[in-house]
Amino acid sequence: RPLAPAAPTHAHSQRPALQARGGTMADRVPRLVDLADAYDDAPAAAARLAALRARFEGAHGGGGGGSDAAPIVVARAPGRVNLIGEHIDYEGYSVLPMAIAQDTVVLARANATSDMLRLANVDERYADAEFPADPRQEVDRTAHSWANYFLCGYKGVFEHAAEAGYDVPGPSGLDIAVHGRVPAGAGVSSSSAFVVASALAVMAAHGLDFPRAELAELARKCEQHIGTMSGGMDQAISVLGERGSAKLVEFNPVRATSVALPEGYTFVIANSLFVSEKAVSAATQYNYRVVECRLAAAALAVAAGEAPSTAASEIDTLKKAERFYGGLTGATDAVGEKLKATPYSAEEAAKAVGVPLAEVFANASAAAQDVLANATEFRLQERARHVYSETARVSAFKAACDAGGAPADVAAKLGELMDESHASCAGDYDCSCADLDELVRACKDAGALGARLTGAGWGGCTVSLVETGHVGGFIEALKAAYYKPRVAAGTADAARLDEYVFATGPAAGAALLA
C-alpha cells in the first residue's frame, strides 16, 4: 500500500530489504564497506565510529526489542564549501560547491518496544531528546533544539514516501546517536549535513532506497520545517559530492556536473568565529532576502507588461523574470532601468508589483509571512543585481575551469571572480559582516588569489584560493593576523587554531557505512 503518514506501528526486528525503483546503482547512495572510500584517515574514522557506537549503547543499551534486535544503520553526510554562487540557488540558478571532509554521522536502530524517537549526541553540549514516532507532528520552530534537525529529516522521509507512492511499513520507534564535525553556524552547512544524514538513516532503518536526487530534494523540502527557505544547494552537494571534483549543481531537476579545478591550487576555509545561526535569524536575514528577490522578480515582470495577478502567482524567482527581457543580459540591464535604486517601503513594493503584498505571498510558507510581519523596507534593485551578476560569475568560473590552459592563468581568473563575488555579497546583498570583511582582507594580505564569504553569510567562514606550495605559509600568516589577536582577547581558543583554518579538497558525498 502507498504510505500515508500515520501514527506509529511497531517495526519488524529484521531490517527490511531496501526498496528501490528505477535508476542505476550510480543513482543510489553508496553502501561503503571500506572506510577509506569516504575518509582520508580511515583509522581515525574507525575510532570515531567506535566512540559513537559506545555513546549509542550507553544511551540506548542493547534494546530494540530483545535478542533479535534490528541492526544499527550508519549514515554519514558531509558539509560543503560553496566556491561561488551565493544566494542564487533559491532563485533557480546553478551553483558551484564541493563537499568537505567534515561530516555528520547518524546511527539509527528500529526499536520495536518503543513509540518514541530517542536521540543522544556525542557532544555534551546537546542534551538527549525525545519525540513521538509520528511523522505528522510539527517541528517547533521556536525551540531551536539541535534535535529538530533530525525531526526534519524524519518527517521528510515519510512525506516523500507518501508523495511518491512508496510501499513501506508504518513508522516505528527509533534509537539514535549523532556525532557532527561540521562547524555549527560557520556557513559550511552543518544543518544540511545533519538533515541529510538523518533522512538517510531513517530511510535505511525503514528499508527505503530513494535515488540520490530524490534524497537531495526531500532534504531540501524538509529542512524548511526548521524555518529557512532553502534553495537546495546544501542538500544537493551533501548527497552528490565526489572526491576530487567540485560540482556544478543545477535544479529542476537536481543534477550535478563534475568540474575539474586547476592543479597546484588549494582552497582554504577560515572561520570568522562570528556565529550565524540561519534558522534563528531567518526572518531578518536569510528569508528576508528570499522575499526581496521574489518581489523584485514580480516587479520586473509587471514592468515588462505582465498582468500583476499573474506576476504575483507565477513569477516567483528572478530566473523566471528573465524571459521578459530575452535572457540574463537583458534582465541584468533591466534591473537598473526598472527597479529604483533606493529602498521600497511596503506600500511602494505593493505598487511595483501591482497587488497587495499579502496576495503575492498568499500561498507562501509561514517563514515568508514572518518576514512580511517584520520588514519595513525592501531593496529590490540591489538584491536582483547581485543574483544576476553572481549567476554570470558561476558561468564564468566553470568556463575558466573547462577551458583549461595554464593553471596559473585559470587560478588568477577564478580568484578575480571570487573577489567580485565577495564585493557583491557585502554590497548589493548585504550578507557579510565586519568580522567576515576583516577576515577576507587578511586572506588577501596573506597571499590568497581570491577570497570570499561562503554560505549564507552574516558570519561563518571564508574560502580562499591559494597556491598549494604556499598553503602552510598562508595559514600561519592568517593565524598571526586574524586569530592570535582574538586568542589574546579571549574570544578564540589557541588549542583550536587548526579547526578554525584548514585546507580542503573535494570530498565524498553521503553514504551508508557497513
Side-chain angles (χ1 to χ4, degrees):
R1 58 179 176 81
L3 174 77
T9 59
H10 294 302
H12 300 295
S13 61
Q14 297 296 320
R15 180 188 296 168
L18 288 179
Q19 180 188 161
R21 284 200 312 232
T24 66
M25 288 304 294
D27 297 327
R28 306 288 163 179
V29 174
R31 287 180 165 272
L32 303 180
V33 175
D34 188 347
L35 290 178
D37 291 334
Y39 298 99
D40 290 336
D41 188 342
R48 176 189 175 202
L49 287 175
L52 180 54
R53 286 181 180 275
R55 177 72 176 99
F56 183 97
E57 295 297 336
H60 306 304
S67 59
D68 60 345
I72 297 172
V73 298
V74 184
R76 55 90 55 184
R80 63 96 186 97
V81 57
N82 191 22
L83 304 181
I84 199 159
E86 222 60 77
H87 285 282
I88 63 173
D89 56 339
Y90 51 75
E91 292 305 298
Y93 288 112
S94 304
V95 292
L96 215 157
M98 65 184 189
I100 60 175
Q102 288 82 349
D103 66 358
T104 294
V105 181
V106 174
L107 271 60
R109 178 178 61 196
N111 187 338
T113 67
S114 173
D115 290 336
M116 301 296 292
L117 308 174
R118 304 191 304 167
L119 285 83
N121 199 308
V122 170
D123 191 327
E124 295 180 352
R125 294 175 298 173
Y126 303 120
D128 292 357
E130 287 191 348
F131 299 99
D134 182 357
R136 300 169 301 182
Q137 67 190 289
E138 296 297 320
V139 176
D140 183 359
R141 295 194 292 126
T142 65
H144 303 306
S145 166
W146 71 274
N148 281 352
Y149 291 98
F150 177 85
L151 188 56
C152 285
Y154 176 78
K155 285 173 62 67
V157 168
F158 287 96
E159 289 166 350
H160 179 72
E163 291 172 4
Y166 283 88
D167 183 18
V168 296
S172 73
L174 291 173
D175 296 334
I176 307 294
V178 178
H179 186 214
R181 281 192 167 164
V182 187
V188 287
S189 289
S190 59
S191 60
S192 295
F194 189 6
V195 171
V196 169
S198 298
L200 182 55
V202 172
M203 283 166 50
H206 287 84
L208 289 165
D209 184 20
F210 302 148
R212 293 194 297 169
E214 288 186 26
L215 173 58
E217 178 59 13
L218 80 84
R220 179 195 69 81
K221 288 183 179 179
C222 71
E223 191 169 333
Q224 294 184 356
H225 288 304
I226 210 73
T228 54
M229 300 164 71
S230 171
M233 169 183 65
D234 301 346
Q235 300 84 2
I237 191 61
S238 186
V239 174
L240 301 172
E242 178 185 353
R243 257 181 169 174
S245 179
K247 295 286 184 178
L248 180 76
V249 177
E250 301 172 88
F251 304 97
N252 302 314
V254 175
R255 56 204 185 278
T257 303
S258 295
V259 177
L261 300 169
E263 292 185 7
Y265 294 86
T266 299
F267 289 96
V268 177
I269 298 175
N271 193 333
S272 72
L273 306 182
F274 191 89
V275 175
S276 175
E277 296 189 54
K278 189 164 65 174
V280 176
S281 59
T284 57
Q285 294 179 346
Y286 188 93
N287 292 348
Y288 194 178
R289 296 297 179 271
V290 179
V291 166
E292 288 178 305
C293 287
R294 179 161 185 179
L295 291 174
L300 286 170
V302 170
E306 181 62 273
S309 59
T310 303
S313 61
E314 298 181 8
I315 311 304
D316 55 0
T317 66
L318 284 161
K319 186 172 185 178
K320 291 181 180 179
E322 267 192 35
R323 71 172 187 257
F324 298 101
Y325 299 95
L328 182 63
T329 300
T332 302
D333 293 340
V335 168
E337 299 167 0
K338 306 295 186 181
L339 302 177
K340 71 188 187 83
T342 54
Y344 289 72
S345 66
E347 294 76 14
E348 289 173 324
K351 184 177 180 180
V353 300
V355 297
L357 298 189
E359 183 175 330
V360 179
F361 296 97
N363 298 314
S365 65
Q369 306 300 334
D370 289 346
V371 172
L372 292 180
N374 289 283
T376 59
E377 65 176 31
F378 305 93
R379 296 179 178 268
L380 306 190
Q381 186 187 97
E382 293 159 284
R383 308 316 183 217
R385 184 167 56 227
H386 167 76
V387 169
Y388 287 143
S389 66
E390 187 77 346
T391 297
R393 283 186 286 272
V394 171
S395 296
F397 194 104
K398 182 176 186 297
C401 291
D402 290 347
D409 294 339
V410 176
K413 178 61 177 177
L414 302 187
E416 176 184 319
L417 292 167
M418 292 171 69
D419 289 344
E420 291 175 2
S421 175
H422 183 77
S424 183
C425 286
D428 282 343
Y429 226 67
D430 192 21
C431 63
S432 189
C433 65
D435 297 76
L436 275 174
D437 291 340
E438 178 188 348
L439 182 53
V440 165
R441 290 192 298 271
C443 291
K444 292 292 290 183
D445 291 344
L449 281 76
R452 59 180 295 274
L453 67 81
T454 185
W458 296 287
C461 287
T462 63
V463 58
S464 298
L465 181 60
V466 181
E467 189 174 352
T468 300
H470 182 52
V471 165
F474 173 85
I475 289 176
E476 290 307 310
L478 205 55
K479 287 178 179 178
Y482 187 82
Y483 295 105
K484 289 187 178 177
R486 284 165 169 76
V487 169
T491 57
D493 183 350
R496 299 180 62 192
L497 292 184
D498 289 338
E499 296 177 34
Y500 299 154
V501 55
F502 54 90
T504 187
L512 292 166
L513 306 178

